[in-house]
Amino acid sequence: MGCVCSNVEVGVGVAVRTEGISKSFGRQNIWQNVTLNIPPGEISLMVGPSGTGKSVFLKSLIGLLKPEEGEIFIGDTNITTCSNKELYEIRKLFGVLFQDGALFGSMDLFDNVAFPLREHTKKSESDIRKVVMEKLDLVGLTGAEGKLPGEISGGMRKRAGLARALVLDPEIILVDEPDSGLDPVRTTYISQLFLDINAQIDATFLIVSHNINLARTVPDNIGMLFRRNLVMFGPREVLLTSDEPVVKQFLNGRMIGPIGMSEEKDEAQMAQEQALADAGHHAGGVEDVEGIVPQMVATPGMPHRKAIDRRQARVREIMHTLPHAAQVAIQNDLDATQDTQQYSTYDNGDQYDNGDQYDNSNQDTQVLPTYNEGGYESSPSLRKQ
Ligand SMILES: Nc1ncnc2c1ncn2[C@@H]1O[C@H](COP(=O)(O)OP(=O)(O)OP(=O)(O)O)[C@@H](O)[C@H]1O
C-alpha cells in the first residue's frame, strides 16, 4: 500500500474493489451484486439518476454502511470482515468531500481544516498551521482562514471541505456531488482542482455526480448505476461512445429513454414520449453529443499526471475486449498523446475498418463490459426487474 506524505510522494493511491455487494434498507433494495475495481491513482466517476444509491455506495466504501452481501477490499483489507480497529486505520486512508463540505458552522476555516489533524495526529500546533495553510493555499483559500462557513459562498465551502479532506494525506479521495449548488464555471474550477491534486499526490479518486460536463471532461473511468445494477464501469471512452440507451439518455440529459421522472418508465410511457418527440415535441437536452470531447488536463506547471500513463498501459492491454467505438476513441487518444505528450488532442480519424474484435452481436441481452482485475468482463446490465 503506498503512502503519500505532505510533499513527498512515495506510492500510488490505493485500489478499491467490490465483490458482488448488495445493499438494502428494510425491503428497499438499493443495488445488488455490484462488482468493480477502481484503479489505483486514477480518477473514476460514478453517475446515475437520483436515488440510484450513489451516495450509499460511497458510504459503503468507507464502512459507514455495511452491505448485506459481498465484500469490499481497500487495498488488501476486507472491510466487511475486518475488526473495528482495522476499519479505523483504513478510514485514515480516505479523504471525503461531502456535498455541502460538512464544515462545523461555529469554527472558522482554519479550525475546520485543522480538525482532523488535532483529532488523529500528535502534530504540534506549529506543524498543524503549516499543513493547514498549505492545503488552504492548494484550494485557493489563502486569506480566508478566519472566516466562518456561513460567511462564504457555497463554492468556497466546498473548497474548504476539500482542504480538510486533504490534511491527512489521503490515498483515496471520495467526492459526493461536487457540483451540487455550484454554477457550471465554479464546477469546472473544482474539477480542475481534482485533476491538479491527482497530479500532485496520485490519490485514487471516486467522484459521484450527475453532472454531464464533469462526466465528459474529468474522469479517467466512468461507471453508471441504474435499476439497482451497475450498468457499466470502464475507461471513459466506453461510456462516452456507448449506444446503450440509458447511458446515451443520461449523458445527453433527454427525456427520451428508459429513465423517467420517477426511477423508471414502463413501455407505454416510453412509446407515448417517443410519439410526442416524433411529432416534434422537444425532448429536452442539447443535440446528441457524438464521440469524445477532450479530457481536461492538469494545469500547466503541475507535475505530469501519472494516472494517464498507467491508464494507457492498462487500456492497451484490454483494448481488444472493448466495443469498436471505444477502441477507435482510445486509439485516437493514444496517437494524440504520442504526438503531443498532451491528453487534449481530438482527432476523429477512423482507424479501424470494423469492430471484429468486439462481439456486439448479442443485442438482446445487452451485455456490457465491466472492468475487473486484468481486463474487462461482460456483465448483464439493465436486467428487467
Ligand atoms: N440511512 C438510510 N436509511 C434508509 N434509506 C436510506 C438511507 N440512506 C439512503 N437511503 C435511501 O437509499 C436510496 C438511495 O439514496 P442515495 O442518496 O444513495 O441516492 P443517490 O443516487 O446518491 O441520489 P442523489 O443523486 O439524488 O443524491 C434513497 O431512496 C434513499 O432514501
Side-chain angles (χ1 to χ4, degrees):
M1 201 176 287
C3 162
V4 180
C5 307
S6 233
N7 296 309
V8 190
E9 182 228 319
V10 289
V12 177
V14 174
V16 174
R17 181 160 67 88
T18 72
E19 266 308 324
I21 56 171
S22 302
K23 179 73 203 160
S24 299
F25 292 109
R27 291 171 58 188
Q28 186 192 8
N29 174 236
I30 306 299
W31 28 252
Q32 61 199 16
N33 201 20
V34 176
T35 296
L36 89 165
N37 272 283
I38 299 171
E42 296 180 23
I43 301 179
S44 299
L45 178 81
M46 186 67 82
V47 296
S50 294
T52 43
K54 303 182 295 298
S55 302
V56 169
F57 188 72
L58 283 192
K59 287 176 186 161
S60 303
L61 297 186
I62 56 171
L64 288 175
L65 291 171
K66 191 166 179 179
E68 290 77 35
E69 283 171 36
E71 296 174 313
I72 299 172
F73 291 88
I74 306 300
D76 294 330
T77 306
N78 181 344
I79 64 158
T80 46
T81 55
C82 73
S83 66
N84 284 343
K85 189 165 172 285
E86 279 176 298
L87 184 58
Y88 181 81
E89 291 304 315
I90 285 289
R91 283 203 185 128
K92 289 189 198 164
L93 299 174
F94 285 88
V96 184
L97 175 56
F98 294 103
Q99 280 192 32
D100 55 357
L103 302 172
F104 300 109
S106 58
M107 288 183 193
D108 65 19
L109 296 192
F110 184 95
D111 286 339
N112 260 293
V113 176
F115 188 83
L117 292 167
R118 290 176 177 148
E119 279 290 292
H120 295 296
T121 73
K122 294 189 166 64
K123 282 187 192 296
S124 68
E125 272 304 306
S126 72
D127 283 349
I128 288 176
R129 168 156 290 274
K130 232 166 77 186
V131 177
V132 170
M133 297 313 284
E134 180 198 319
K135 302 305 179 200
L136 283 172
D137 184 48
L138 192 65
V139 301
L141 283 176
T142 302
E145 57 272 19
K147 298 234 188 267
L148 290 170
E151 296 171 339
I152 58 176
S153 70
M156 288 170 82
R157 275 199 290 278
K158 272 194 208 288
R159 282 187 280 141
L162 183 58
R164 191 175 62 182
L166 294 173
V167 285
L168 292 178
D169 294 320
E171 298 190 42
I172 309 162
I173 299 180
L174 305 182
V175 184
D176 198 359
E177 304 211 3
D179 52 304
S180 71
L182 290 193
D183 64 63
V185 176
R186 267 49 177 267
T187 300
T188 306
Y189 273 107
I190 201 151
S191 299
Q192 181 69 68
L193 265 178
F194 297 147
L195 286 152
D196 290 352
I197 288 164
N198 179 251
Q200 287 170 285
I201 69 172
D202 235 358
T204 306
F205 274 74
L206 180 62
I207 305 170
V208 151
S209 173
H210 12 61
N211 185 293
I212 302 171
N213 255 343
L214 198 149
R216 288 190 181 281
T217 56
V218 176
D220 300 307
N221 310 289
I222 308 178
M224 181 167 187
L225 285 169
F226 180 60
R227 286 186 187 160
R228 295 169 284 287
N229 284 285
L230 181 69
V231 178
M232 329 182 159
F233 181 77
R236 63 193 291 269
E237 293 87 352
V238 175
L239 267 88
L240 296 179
T241 58
S242 175
D243 276 334
E244 175 64 48
V246 68
V247 176
K248 279 196 95 163
Q249 180 189 7
F250 191 86
L251 291 175
N252 288 292
R254 310 188 73 198
M255 288 189 281
I256 297 295
I259 308 169
M261 186 65 176
S262 52
E263 202 202 326
E264 50 201 74
K265 290 178 191 171
D266 57 24
E267 301 283 330
Q269 191 190 347
M270 279 178 71
Q272 191 187 20
E273 286 177 354
Q274 188 61 58
L276 280 173
D278 291 346
H281 179 65
H282 196 321
V286 289
E287 288 302 300
D288 276 1
V289 179
E290 295 293 341
I292 310 264
V293 293
Q295 188 181 19
M296 287 172 70
V297 295
T299 304
M302 286 285 152
H304 172 67
R305 206 163 69 83
K306 294 186 215 64
I308 294 171
D309 309 332
R310 280 194 302 269
R311 195 190 83 112
Q312 284 187 350
R314 195 165 58 70
V315 166
R316 258 197 197 100
E317 298 237 316
I318 44 89
M319 194 137 128
H320 63 284
T321 68
L322 301 179
H324 174 64
Q327 290 188 28
V328 173
I330 290 168
Q331 189 59 51
N332 285 335
D333 185 58
L334 291 173
D335 293 346
T337 314
Q338 231 167 21
D339 288 348
T340 63
Q341 288 300 305
Q342 288 277 332
Y343 207 53
S344 56
T345 309
Y346 178 50
D347 172 8
N348 200 22
D350 191 1
Q351 291 158 31
Y352 289 90
D353 48 1
N354 61 45
D356 282 348
Q357 289 168 297
Y358 175 71
D359 179 5
N360 197 21
S361 55
N362 194 357
Q363 296 293 345
D364 289 335
T365 50
Q366 296 283 358
V367 286
L368 291 159
T370 300
Y371 175 68
N372 265 297
E373 202 105 67
Y376 283 74
E377 61 182 36
S378 292
S379 68
S381 75
L382 298 182
R383 270 171 257 152
K384 294 269 183 266
Q385 303 291 311

